Amino acid sequence: MYNTQMQHLIQQLLVQLGEDPLREGLVKTPERVETALKFLTSGYDADVDTVLNGAMFSVDYSEMVIVRDIDFYSLCEHHLLPFFGKCHVAYIPNGRVIGLSKIPRLVDIFARRLQLQERMTNQIAETIREKIEPLGVAVVCEGTHLCMAMRGVEKQNSYTMTSAMLGAFRDNARTRMEFLELLKLRHNTIVQTALPIPVGVSHLDD
Ligand SMILES: [Zn+2]
């Protein structure tokens, strides 16, 4: 009765959870879940070069560029549950910049897949380094992980912080501090923390 293998698997999952997949509210659930999961993992099919195509420019500008408070929504690869929050991206151009509107698109590409927040943070930073070879790149992500919050592993209002600092942001403490001050993060502790900023609570083992 289901159109695809994935819908069949989701129907089986409902049965294993003790549900009746034929009751009214669940009849179309496999179809909806498939549509949702395909969107939430659409980053696998997205091509960075296509997204950035035509949006990298030569400029004579070497001050720090910051795009802050980029919303991201991702799925924890250990529990298939959402983690989401804000991502802040900075770089110091070395002759080339990326159109500002493309930075959130870049974040989406890496968020929309099964992820670890640490890996996502690194992938965003490494991609910017690779594409425009700036003097430095900094990415800071603060995320709420439902796999921890919903299970009571961690207090509900806590955040997991991750950072990737490349080039000038890694080598020059003053540059790094300037970035962190400009962010004025909700958590003042980050400004005082020596890098790398530790991840809140590890849930890698459970
Ligand atoms: Zn998890």
Side-chain angles (χ1 to χ4, degrees):
M1 71 179 279
Y2 292 103
N3 294 325
T4 68
Q5 175 79 5
M6 196 187 297
Q7 288 174 27
H8 180 70
L9 289 168
I10 294 158
Q11 188 257 353
Q12 291 295 305
L13 179 64
L14 291 172
V15 171
Q16 291 300 317
L17 291 173
E19 268 292 356
D20 170 12
L22 298 181
R23 73 177 173 85
E24 190 181 0
L26 292 178
V27 167
K28 289 194 169 179
T29 294
E31 194 180 326
R32 292 190 200 97
V33 172
E34 180 180 33
T35 302
L37 283 178
K38 282 188 169 171
F39 175 76
L40 296 175
T41 58
S42 58
Y44 290 120
D45 296 326
D47 180 60
V48 170
D49 291 320
T50 303
V51 167
L52 297 182
N53 186 32
M56 291 183 287
F57 310 101
S58 296
V59 290
D60 183 17
Y61 180 80
S62 58
E63 297 299 315
M64 193 183 298
V65 176
I66 300 183
V67 183
R68 52 171 291 178
D69 292 326
I70 301 166
D71 290 317
F72 74 84
Y73 296 88
S74 190
L75 287 172
C76 149
E77 69 180 22
H78 294 139
H79 302 94
L80 303 189
L81 288 171
F83 69 95
F84 57 93
K86 301 282 189 189
C87 181
H88 316 286
V89 175
Y91 65 92
I92 301 172
N94 184 21
R96 300 183 81 202
V97 295
I98 298 174
L100 292 179
S101 68
K102 299 296 184 180
I103 304 284
R105 299 278 309 278
L106 205 56
V107 171
D108 281 343
I109 288 177
F110 294 109
R112 288 178 186 160
R113 42 182 92 184
L114 304 185
Q115 269 292 15
L116 297 174
Q117 186 176 317
E118 298 91 324
R119 186 203 295 132
M120 181 183 80
T121 305
N122 281 330
Q123 285 173 329
I124 295 164
E126 290 290 351
T127 300
I128 293 171
R129 171 159 77 176
E130 184 187 322
K131 295 304 173 189
I132 57 169
E133 298 180 339
L135 298 175
V137 186
V139 178
V140 171
C141 296
E142 39 184 343
T144 296
H145 291 243
L146 291 188
C147 59
M148 292 194 285
M150 292 179 75
R151 297 186 306 152
V153 175
E154 201 180 2
K155 290 199 166 59
Q156 290 192 340
N157 292 321
S158 65
Y159 295 87
T160 298
M161 312 284 315
T162 50
S163 71
M165 302 280 167
L166 306 177
F169 290 93
R170 187 192 59 220
D171 301 334
N172 188 327
R174 182 174 291 183
T175 302
R176 191 164 63 236
M177 292 305 286
E178 183 188 347
F179 166 60
L180 295 174
E181 292 285 352
L182 284 167
L183 283 188
K184 290 194 174 72
L185 290 173
R186 280 171 282 182
H187 312 283
N188 293 329
T189 48
I190 192 174
V191 177
Q192 290 137 18
T193 308
L195 298 173
I197 295 160
V199 174
V201 174
S202 172
H203 63 295
L204 304 185
D205 301 329
D206 58 2

